[in-house]
Coordinates of all heavy atoms in Angstrom, one line a residue:
S256 N 196.4 -31.7 72.8 CA 195.7 -30.9 71.8 C 194.2 -31.0 71.8 O 193.7 -32.2 72.0 CB 196.3 -31.2 70.4 OG 195.5 -30.9 69.4
D257 N 193.5 -30.0 71.7 CA 192.0 -30.1 71.7 C 191.5 -30.8 70.4 O 192.1 -30.7 69.4 CB 191.4 -28.7 71.7 CG 191.6 -27.9 73.1 OD1 191.7 -28.7 74.1 OD2 191.7 -26.7 73.0
P258 N 190.4 -31.5 70.5 CA 189.8 -32.1 69.4 C 189.4 -31.1 68.4 O 189.0 -30.0 68.7 CB 188.6 -32.9 69.9 CG 188.4 -32.5 71.2 CD 189.6 -31.8 71.7
Y259 N 189.6 -31.4 67.1 CA 189.2 -30.4 66.1 C 188.1 -31.0 65.2 O 188.3 -32.0 64.6 CB 190.4 -30.0 65.2 CG 190.1 -29.0 64.1 CD1 189.8 -27.7 64.4 CD2 190.0 -29.4 62.8 CE1 189.4 -26.8 63.5 CE2 189.6 -28.5 61.8 CZ 189.4 -27.2 62.1 OH 189.1 -26.4 61.1
I260 N 187.0 -30.3 65.0 CA 185.9 -30.8 64.2 C 185.8 -29.8 63.0 O 185.6 -28.6 63.3 CB 184.6 -30.9 64.9 CG1 184.7 -31.8 66.1 CG2 183.5 -31.2 63.9 CD1 183.4 -31.8 67.0
S261 N 186.1 -30.2 61.8 CA 186.2 -29.3 60.7 C 184.8 -28.9 60.2 O 183.9 -29.8 60.2 CB 186.9 -29.9 59.6 OG 187.0 -29.0 58.5
R262 N 184.6 -27.7 59.9 CA 183.3 -27.2 59.4 C 183.6 -26.6 58.0 O 184.7 -26.2 57.7 CB 182.7 -26.1 60.3 CG 182.2 -26.7 61.6 CD 181.6 -25.6 62.5 NE 181.1 -26.1 63.7 CZ 181.8 -26.3 64.8 NH1 183.2 -25.9 64.8 NH2 181.3 -26.7 65.9
Q263 N 182.7 -26.5 57.2 CA 182.8 -26.0 55.8 C 183.4 -24.6 55.8 O 184.3 -24.3 55.1 CB 181.6 -26.1 55.0 CG 181.7 -25.6 53.5 CD 182.7 -26.6 52.8 OE1 182.8 -27.8 53.1 NE2 183.5 -26.1 51.9
S264 N 182.9 -23.7 56.7 CA 183.5 -22.4 56.8 C 184.9 -22.4 57.2 O 185.7 -21.5 56.8 CB 182.6 -21.5 57.7 OG 182.6 -22.1 59.0
A265 N 185.3 -23.2 58.2 CA 186.7 -23.3 58.6 C 187.6 -23.8 57.5 O 188.7 -23.4 57.3 CB 186.8 -24.3 59.8
K266 N 187.1 -24.8 56.8 CA 187.9 -25.4 55.7 C 188.1 -24.3 54.6 O 189.2 -24.2 54.1 CB 187.2 -26.6 55.0 CG 188.0 -27.2 53.9 CD 187.4 -28.4 53.3 CE 188.1 -29.0 52.1 NZ 189.1 -28.2 51.4
K267 N 187.1 -23.5 54.3 CA 187.2 -22.4 53.4 C 188.2 -21.4 53.8 O 189.1 -21.0 53.0 CB 185.8 -21.8 53.1 CG 185.8 -20.7 52.1 CD 184.5 -20.1 51.9 CE 184.5 -19.0 50.9 NZ 183.1 -18.4 50.7
L268 N 188.2 -21.1 55.1 CA 189.2 -20.1 55.5 C 190.6 -20.7 55.5 O 191.6 -20.0 55.1 CB 188.9 -19.6 57.0 CG 189.8 -18.6 57.6 CD1 190.0 -17.4 56.7 CD2 189.3 -18.1 58.9
L269 N 190.8 -22.0 55.9 CA 192.1 -22.6 55.8 C 192.6 -22.6 54.3 O 193.8 -22.2 54.1 CB 192.1 -24.1 56.3 CG 192.1 -24.3 57.8 CD1 191.8 -25.8 58.1 CD2 193.6 -24.0 58.3
D270 N 191.8 -22.9 53.5 CA 192.1 -22.9 52.0 C 192.5 -21.5 51.5 O 193.4 -21.3 50.8 CB 191.1 -23.5 51.1 CG 190.8 -25.0 51.3 OD1 191.7 -25.6 51.9 OD2 189.8 -25.5 50.9
N271 N 191.6 -20.5 51.9 CA 191.9 -19.1 51.5 C 193.2 -18.6 52.1 O 193.9 -17.8 51.5 CB 190.7 -18.2 51.9 CG 189.5 -18.4 51.1 OD1 189.6 -19.0 50.0 ND2 188.3 -18.0 51.6
F272 N 193.5 -19.0 53.3 CA 194.7 -18.6 54.0 C 195.9 -19.1 53.2 O 196.8 -18.4 52.9 CB 194.8 -19.1 55.4 CG 195.8 -18.4 56.2 CD1 195.6 -17.3 56.9 CD2 197.1 -19.0 56.4 CE1 196.5 -16.7 57.7 CE2 198.0 -18.4 57.1 CZ 197.8 -17.3 57.8
G273 N 195.9 -20.4 52.8 CA 196.9 -21.0 52.0 C 197.1 -20.3 50.7 O 198.2 -20.0 50.1
R274 N 196.0 -20.0 50.0 CA 196.0 -19.3 48.8 C 196.6 -17.9 48.9 O 197.4 -17.4 48.1 CB 194.6 -19.1 48.2 CG 194.5 -18.6 46.8 CD 193.1 -18.7 46.2 NE 192.5 -20.0 46.3 CZ 191.4 -20.3 47.1 NH1 190.8 -19.4 47.8 NH2 191.0 -21.6 47.1
A275 N 196.3 -17.2 50.0 CA 196.9 -15.9 50.2 C 198.3 -15.9 50.4 O 199.1 -15.0 50.0 CB 196.2 -15.2 51.5
L276 N 198.8 -16.9 51.0 CA 200.3 -17.1 51.2 C 201.0 -17.3 49.9 O 202.1 -16.8 49.7 CB 200.6 -18.2 52.2 CG 200.2 -18.0 53.6 CD1 200.5 -19.3 54.4 CD2 201.0 -16.9 54.2
K277 N 200.3 -18.0 48.9 CA 200.9 -18.3 47.7 C 200.8 -17.2 46.7 O 201.7 -17.0 45.9 CB 200.3 -19.5 47.1 CG 200.6 -20.8 47.8 CD 199.9 -22.1 47.2 CE 200.2 -23.2 48.0 NZ 199.3 -24.4 47.7
Q278 N 199.8 -16.4 46.8 CA 199.5 -15.3 45.9 C 199.1 -14.0 46.7 O 198.0 -13.6 46.6 CB 198.5 -15.6 44.9 CG 198.8 -16.9 44.1 CD 197.6 -17.2 43.2 OE1 196.5 -16.9 43.5 NE2 197.9 -18.0 42.1
P279 N 200.0 -13.4 47.4 CA 199.6 -12.4 48.3 C 199.1 -11.1 47.6 O 198.3 -10.3 48.2 CB 201.0 -12.0 49.1 CG 202.0 -12.6 48.3 CD 201.4 -13.8 47.5
A280 N 199.6 -10.8 46.4 CA 199.1 -9.7 45.7 C 197.6 -9.8 45.3 O 197.0 -8.8 45.1 CB 199.9 -9.4 44.4
A281 N 197.1 -10.9 45.3 CA 195.7 -11.2 44.8 C 194.8 -11.5 45.9 O 193.6 -11.7 45.7 CB 195.7 -12.2 43.7
N282 N 195.2 -11.6 47.2 CA 194.5 -12.1 48.3 C 194.7 -11.3 49.6 O 195.8 -10.7 49.8 CB 194.7 -13.6 48.5 CG 194.3 -14.5 47.4 OD1 193.2 -14.7 47.3 ND2 195.3 -14.9 46.6
P283 N 193.7 -11.2 50.5 CA 193.9 -10.6 51.7 C 195.1 -11.3 52.6 O 195.2 -12.5 52.5 CB 192.6 -10.6 52.4 CG 191.9 -11.7 51.8 CD 192.5 -11.9 50.3
L284 N 195.8 -10.5 53.3 CA 196.8 -11.1 54.1 C 196.6 -11.0 55.6 O 197.3 -11.4 56.4 CB 198.2 -10.3 53.9 CG 198.7 -10.5 52.5 CD1 199.9 -9.6 52.3 CD2 199.1 -12.0 52.2
V285 N 195.4 -10.4 56.0 CA 195.0 -10.3 57.3 C 193.6 -10.9 57.5 O 192.7 -10.6 56.7 CB 194.9 -8.8 57.8 CG1 194.4 -8.7 59.2 CG2 196.3 -8.2 57.8
F286 N 193.5 -11.9 58.4 CA 192.2 -12.6 58.6 C 191.9 -12.4 60.1 O 192.8 -12.2 60.9 CB 192.4 -14.0 58.3 CG 192.6 -14.3 56.9 CD1 193.9 -14.4 56.3 CD2 191.5 -14.6 56.0 CE1 194.0 -14.6 54.9 CE2 191.7 -15.0 54.7 CZ 192.9 -14.9 54.2
Y287 N 190.6 -12.5 60.4 CA 190.3 -12.5 61.8 C 189.2 -13.4 62.0 O 188.4 -13.7 61.1 CB 189.9 -11.1 62.3 CG 188.7 -10.5 61.6 CD1 187.4 -10.6 62.2 CD2 188.8 -9.9 60.4 CE1 186.3 -10.1 61.6 CE2 187.7 -9.3 59.8 CZ 186.4 -9.4 60.4 OH 185.3 -8.9 59.8
A288 N 189.1 -14.0 63.2 CA 188.1 -15.0 63.6 C 187.3 -14.3 64.7 O 187.9 -13.7 65.6 CB 188.7 -16.3 64.1
Y289 N 185.9 -14.4 64.6 CA 185.2 -13.8 65.7 C 183.9 -14.6 65.9 O 183.6 -15.5 65.1 CB 184.7 -12.4 65.3 CG 183.8 -12.3 64.0 CD1 182.5 -12.3 64.2 CD2 184.3 -12.3 62.8 CE1 181.6 -12.3 63.1 CE2 183.5 -12.3 61.7 CZ 182.1 -12.2 61.8 OH 181.3 -12.2 60.7
G290 N 183.3 -14.4 67.0 CA 182.1 -15.1 67.4 C 181.9 -15.3 68.9 O 182.9 -14.8 69.6
I291 N 180.8 -15.7 69.3 CA 180.6 -15.9 70.7 C 181.4 -16.9 71.4 O 182.0 -17.8 70.6 CB 179.1 -16.2 71.0 CG1 178.7 -17.5 70.4 CG2 178.2 -15.1 70.6 CD1 177.3 -18.0 70.9
G292 N 181.6 -16.9 72.6 CA 182.5 -17.8 73.4 C 182.0 -19.2 73.2 O 180.8 -19.5 73.2
G293 N 183.0 -20.1 73.0 CA 182.7 -21.5 72.9 C 182.4 -22.1 71.6 O 182.0 -23.3 71.5
V294 N 182.5 -21.3 70.5 CA 182.3 -21.9 69.1 C 183.4 -22.5 68.5 O 183.3 -23.1 67.4 CB 181.6 -20.8 68.2 CG1 180.3 -20.3 68.8 CG2 182.6 -19.6 68.0
G295 N 184.6 -22.4 69.1 CA 185.8 -23.1 68.6 C 186.8 -22.2 67.9 O 187.7 -22.6 67.1
K296 N 186.8 -20.8 68.2 CA 187.7 -19.9 67.5 C 189.2 -20.3 67.9 O 190.1 -20.4 67.0 CB 187.5 -18.5 68.0 CG 186.1 -18.0 67.5 CD 185.9 -16.5 68.0 CE 185.8 -16.4 69.5 NZ 184.7 -17.0 70.2
S297 N 189.5 -20.5 69.2 CA 190.8 -20.8 69.6 C 191.3 -22.1 69.1 O 192.4 -22.3 68.7 CB 190.9 -20.8 71.1 OG 190.6 -19.6 71.6
T298 N 190.4 -23.1 69.1 CA 190.7 -24.4 68.5 C 191.1 -24.3 67.0 O 192.1 -24.8 66.5 CB 189.6 -25.4 68.7 OG1 189.3 -25.4 70.1 CG2 190.0 -26.8 68.2
F299 N 190.3 -23.5 66.3 CA 190.5 -23.3 64.9 C 191.8 -22.6 64.6 O 192.6 -22.9 63.7 CB 189.3 -22.5 64.2 CG 189.7 -22.1 62.8 CD1 189.7 -23.1 61.8 CD2 190.0 -20.8 62.5 CE1 190.0 -22.7 60.5 CE2 190.3 -20.4 61.2 CZ 190.3 -21.4 60.2
L300 N 192.1 -21.5 65.4 CA 193.3 -20.8 65.3 C 194.5 -21.7 65.5 O 195.6 -21.5 64.9 CB 193.3 -19.5 66.1 CG 192.3 -18.4 65.7 CD1 192.3 -17.3 66.8 CD2 192.6 -17.9 64.3
G301 N 194.4 -22.6 66.5 CA 195.5 -23.6 66.7 C 195.7 -24.4 65.5 O 196.8 -24.7 65.1
K302 N 194.6 -24.9 64.8 CA 194.7 -25.7 63.7 C 195.4 -24.9 62.5 O 196.2 -25.3 61.8 CB 193.3 -26.2 63.2 CG 193.3 -26.9 62.0 CD 193.9 -28.3 62.1 CE 193.7 -29.2 60.9 NZ 194.5 -30.4 61.0
L303 N 195.0 -23.6 62.4 CA 195.6 -22.7 61.4 C 197.1 -22.5 61.6 O 197.8 -22.7 60.7 CB 194.8 -21.3 61.4 CG 195.2 -20.4 60.3 CD1 194.7 -20.9 58.9 CD2 194.6 -19.0 60.6
R304 N 197.5 -22.3 62.8 CA 198.9 -22.1 63.2 C 199.6 -23.4 62.9 O 200.7 -23.4 62.4 CB 199.0 -21.7 64.6 CG 198.7 -20.3 65.0 CD 198.8 -20.1 66.4 NE 198.3 -18.8 66.8 CZ 199.0 -17.8 67.2 NH1 200.3 -17.9 67.5 NH2 198.5 -16.6 67.6
E305 N 199.0 -24.6 63.3 CA 199.6 -25.8 63.0 C 199.9 -26.1 61.6 O 200.9 -26.6 61.1 CB 198.8 -26.9 63.6 CG 199.3 -28.3 63.5 CD 198.3 -29.3 64.0 OE1 197.8 -29.2 65.2 OE2 197.9 -30.2 63.2
T306 N 198.8 -25.8 60.8 CA 198.9 -26.1 59.3 C 199.9 -25.2 58.6 O 200.6 -25.7 57.7 CB 197.5 -25.9 58.7 OG1 196.6 -26.7 59.4 CG2 197.5 -26.1 57.2
Y307 N 200.0 -23.9 59.0 CA 200.9 -23.0 58.2 C 202.0 -22.5 59.1 O 202.6 -21.4 58.8 CB 200.0 -21.8 57.7 CG 199.0 -22.2 56.7 CD1 197.7 -22.3 57.0 CD2 199.4 -22.6 55.4 CE1 196.8 -22.8 56.0 CE2 198.6 -23.1 54.4 CZ 197.2 -23.2 54.8 OH 196.3 -23.6 53.9
A308 N 202.5 -23.2 60.1 CA 203.6 -22.8 60.9 C 204.9 -22.4 60.2 O 205.6 -21.5 60.6 CB 203.9 -23.8 62.0
Q309 N 205.2 -23.2 59.2 CA 206.4 -22.9 58.4 C 206.2 -21.8 57.4 O 207.2 -21.3 56.9 CB 206.8 -24.2 57.7 CG 207.0 -25.4 58.6 CD 208.2 -25.1 59.6 OE1 209.2 -24.6 59.3 NE2 207.9 -25.4 60.9
D310 N 205.0 -21.3 57.1 CA 204.8 -20.4 56.0 C 204.4 -19.0 56.4 O 204.3 -18.1 55.7 CB 203.7 -21.0 55.1 CG 204.0 -22.3 54.6 OD1 205.1 -22.5 54.1 OD2 203.1 -23.3 54.7
A311 N 204.0 -18.8 57.7 CA 203.4 -17.6 58.2 C 203.9 -17.2 59.6 O 204.1 -18.2 60.4 CB 201.9 -17.6 58.1
T312 N 203.8 -15.9 59.9 CA 204.0 -15.5 61.3 C 202.7 -15.1 61.7 O 201.9 -14.5 61.1 CB 204.9 -14.2 61.3 OG1 206.2 -14.7 60.7 CG2 205.1 -13.7 62.6
F313 N 202.3 -15.5 63.0 CA 201.1 -15.3 63.6 C 201.2 -14.4 64.7 O 202.1 -14.5 65.6 CB 200.4 -16.6 64.1 CG 200.0 -17.5 62.9 CD1 200.9 -18.4 62.4 CD2 198.7 -17.5 62.3 CE1 200.6 -19.3 61.4 CE2 198.4 -18.4 61.3 CZ 199.4 -19.2 60.7
A314 N 200.2 -13.5 64.8 CA 200.1 -12.5 66.0 C 198.7 -12.6 66.4 O 197.7 -12.8 65.6 CB 200.5 -11.1 65.6
G315 N 198.4 -12.5 67.7 CA 197.0 -12.7 68.2 C 196.7 -12.0 69.5 O 197.7 -11.6 70.2
A316 N 195.5 -11.8 69.7 CA 195.0 -11.1 70.9 C 193.6 -11.8 71.2 O 192.8 -12.1 70.3 CB 194.8 -9.7 70.8
F317 N 193.4 -12.1 72.4 CA 192.1 -12.7 72.9 C 191.4 -11.8 73.8 O 191.8 -11.5 74.9 CB 192.4 -14.1 73.5 CG 193.0 -15.1 72.6 CD1 194.4 -15.2 72.5 CD2 192.2 -15.9 71.8 CE1 194.9 -16.0 71.5 CE2 192.7 -16.8 71.0 CZ 194.1 -16.9 70.9
F318 N 190.4 -11.1 73.3 CA 189.7 -10.1 74.1 C 189.1 -10.8 75.4 O 188.5 -11.9 75.3 CB 188.6 -9.4 73.2 CG 189.2 -8.6 72.2 CD1 189.2 -9.1 70.9 CD2 189.7 -7.3 72.5 CE1 189.8 -8.3 69.9 CE2 190.3 -6.6 71.5 CZ 190.3 -7.1 70.2
G319 N 189.3 -10.3 76.5 CA 188.9 -10.8 77.8 C 190.0 -11.5 78.5 O 189.9 -11.7 79.7
S320 N 191.0 -12.0 77.8 CA 192.1 -12.6 78.4 C 193.5 -12.0 78.2 O 194.4 -12.3 78.9 CB 192.2 -14.2 78.1 OG 192.4 -14.3 76.8
T321 N 193.6 -11.2 77.2 CA 194.8 -10.4 76.9 C 194.6 -9.0 77.5 O 193.6 -8.3 77.3 CB 195.0 -10.3 75.4 OG1 195.1 -11.5 74.8 CG2 196.3 -9.5 75.1
S322 N 195.5 -8.7 78.5 CA 195.4 -7.5 79.3 C 195.7 -6.3 78.4 O 196.5 -6.3 77.5 CB 196.2 -7.6 80.6 OG 197.6 -7.6 80.2
K323 N 195.2 -5.1 78.9 CA 195.6 -3.8 78.4 C 195.2 -3.6 76.9 O 195.9 -2.9 76.2 CB 197.0 -3.5 78.7 CG 197.3 -3.5 80.2 CD 198.7 -3.1 80.4 CE 199.0 -3.2 81.9 NZ 200.4 -2.9 82.3
I324 N 194.2 -4.2 76.4 CA 193.8 -4.0 75.0 C 192.5 -3.3 75.1 O 191.4 -3.8 75.0 CB 193.6 -5.3 74.2 CG1 195.0 -5.9 74.1 CG2 193.1 -4.9 72.8 CD1 195.0 -7.1 73.3
D325 N 192.5 -1.9 75.4 CA 191.3 -1.1 75.6 C 191.1 -0.1 74.5 O 190.3 0.8 74.6 CB 191.4 -0.5 77.0 CG 192.7 0.3 77.2 OD1 193.5 0.4 76.2 OD2 192.9 0.8 78.3
S326 N 191.9 -0.1 73.5 CA 191.7 0.8 72.4 C 192.3 0.2 71.1 O 193.1 -0.8 71.2 CB 192.4 2.1 72.6 OG 193.8 1.9 72.5
P327 N 191.9 0.6 69.9 CA 192.5 0.1 68.7 C 194.0 0.2 68.6 O 194.7 -0.6 68.2 CB 191.8 0.9 67.6 CG 190.4 1.3 68.2 CD 190.8 1.6 69.7
L328 N 194.5 1.4 69.1 CA 195.9 1.5 69.1 C 196.7 0.6 70.0 O 197.7 0.0 69.7 CB 196.3 3.0 69.5 CG 197.7 3.4 69.4 CD1 198.2 3.2 68.0 CD2 197.9 4.9 69.8
A329 N 196.1 0.3 71.2 CA 196.7 -0.7 72.1 C 196.7 -2.1 71.5 O 197.6 -2.8 71.6 CB 195.9 -0.7 73.4
L330 N 195.6 -2.4 70.7 CA 195.5 -3.7 70.0 C 196.6 -3.8 69.0 O 197.3 -4.7 68.8 CB 194.2 -3.9 69.4 CG 194.0 -5.1 68.4 CD1 194.3 -6.4 69.2 CD2 192.6 -5.1 67.9
M331 N 196.8 -2.7 68.1 CA 197.8 -2.7 67.1 C 199.2 -2.9 67.7 O 200.0 -3.6 67.3 CB 197.7 -1.5 66.2 CG 196.5 -1.4 65.4 SD 196.4 -0.1 64.2 CE 196.6 1.3 65.2
E332 N 199.5 -2.2 68.8 CA 200.7 -2.3 69.5 C 201.0 -3.7 70.0 O 202.1 -4.3 69.8 CB 200.8 -1.3 70.7 CG 202.1 -1.3 71.4 CD 202.2 -0.3 72.5 OE1 201.2 0.2 73.0 OE2 203.3 -0.1 73.0
H333 N 200.0 -4.3 70.6 CA 200.1 -5.6 71.1 C 200.4 -6.6 69.9 O 201.3 -7.5 70.1 CB 198.8 -6.1 71.7 CG 198.8 -7.6 72.2 ND1 199.4 -7.9 73.3 CD2 198.2 -8.6 71.6 CE1 199.2 -9.2 73.4 NE2 198.5 -9.7 72.4
L334 N 199.8 -6.5 68.8 CA 200.0 -7.3 67.7 C 201.4 -7.1 67.1 O 202.1 -8.0 66.7 CB 198.9 -7.2 66.6 CG 197.5 -7.6 67.0 CD1 196.5 -7.2 66.0 CD2 197.5 -9.1 67.4
Y335 N 201.8 -5.9 66.9 CA 203.0 -5.5 66.3 C 204.2 -6.1 67.2 O 205.2 -6.5 66.6 CB 203.2 -3.9 66.3 CG 204.5 -3.5 65.7 CD1 204.7 -3.5 64.4 CD2 205.5 -3.0 66.6 CE1 206.0 -3.0 63.9 CE2 206.7 -2.5 66.1 CZ 206.9 -2.6 64.7 OH 208.1 -2.2 64.2
K336 N 204.1 -6.1 68.5 CA 205.2 -6.6 69.3 C 205.4 -8.1 69.1 O 206.5 -8.6 69.4 CB 204.9 -6.3 70.8 CG 205.0 -4.8 71.1 CD 204.7 -4.7 72.6 CE 204.9 -3.2 73.0 NZ 204.5 -3.0 74.4
Q337 N 204.4 -8.8 68.5 CA 204.6 -10.2 68.3 C 205.2 -10.5 67.0 O 205.6 -11.7 66.7 CB 203.2 -10.9 68.3 CG 202.5 -10.8 69.7 CD 201.2 -11.3 69.7 OE1 200.9 -12.5 69.2 NE2 200.2 -10.6 70.1
L338 N 205.4 -9.6 66.1 CA 206.0 -9.9 64.8 C 207.5 -9.9 64.9 O 208.1 -9.2 65.7 CB 205.5 -8.7 63.8 CG 204.0 -8.6 63.6 CD1 203.7 -7.5 62.6 CD2 203.5 -9.9 63.0
P339 N 208.1 -10.7 64.0 CA 209.5 -10.8 64.0 C 210.2 -9.4 63.6 O 209.6 -8.7 62.8 CB 209.9 -11.9 63.0 CG 208.7 -11.9 62.1 CD 207.5 -11.5 63.0
D340 N 211.4 -9.2 64.2 CA 212.1 -7.9 63.8 C 212.9 -8.2 62.5 O 213.8 -9.1 62.5 CB 213.1 -7.7 64.9 CG 213.9 -6.4 64.6 OD1 213.6 -5.7 63.7 OD2 214.8 -6.1 65.5
E341 N 212.4 -7.6 61.5 CA 213.0 -7.8 60.2 C 214.1 -6.8 59.9 O 214.7 -6.7 58.8 CB 211.9 -7.6 59.0 CG 210.8 -8.6 59.2 CD 211.3 -10.0 58.7 OE1 212.2 -10.1 57.9 OE2 210.7 -11.0 59.3
G342 N 214.5 -5.9 61.0 CA 215.6 -5.0 60.8 C 215.2 -3.7 60.3 O 215.7 -2.9 59.8

C-alpha cells in the first residue's frame, strides 16, 4: 500500500463522505477528486475506499489510463457498468 499523508482538505472530504452515507437526504452522494498528476488523488481514493468499503459502492475512472472515455456519455457508461446489479 502507498504511504498516505493526511491533509486537512482530505480529512474534510473523508468526514463529509461518512456524513453523506449516514444522512443521504441532507448531503451530496457523488464526490469527485481532481488535480494535476502526482498530488495524491489515487492514494486518497484508495484511503477513501479502504475506510468506507463496507458502507459504499465505488465506481471510478482515471483519465489518461482508462480507455475509451472520450465523451460524457462514455464516462457515465463506464461508471454505470461498475455499479452492482440491484435487479
Side-chain angles (χ1 to χ4, degrees):
S256 159
D257 290 332
Y259 179 73
I260 300 171
S261 182
R262 294 179 177 88
Q263 187 60 33
S264 58
K266 182 179 178 339
K267 184 177 177 182
L268 181 53
L269 276 169
D270 292 344
N271 287 342
F272 193 88
R274 190 174 304 115
L276 292 173
K277 290 178 185 169
Q278 301 174 338
N282 295 285
L284 295 175
V285 175
F286 293 87
Y287 64 97
Y289 65 94
I291 61 171
V294 297
K296 297 178 299 294
S297 295
T298 304
F299 171 74
L300 291 173
K302 178 69 172 174
L303 187 69
R304 285 177 189 246
E305 177 185 306
T306 302
Y307 294 107
Q309 301 299 315
D310 304 311
T312 298
F313 292 88
F317 296 89
F318 295 100
S320 63
T321 303
S322 65
K323 299 182 182 176
I324 297 182
D325 52 3
S326 70
L328 187 57
L330 172 61
M331 290 188 306
E332 181 180 13
H333 176 79
L334 296 173
Y335 179 78
K336 286 179 179 178
Q337 296 176 52
L338 298 177
D340 183 7
E341 298 290 330

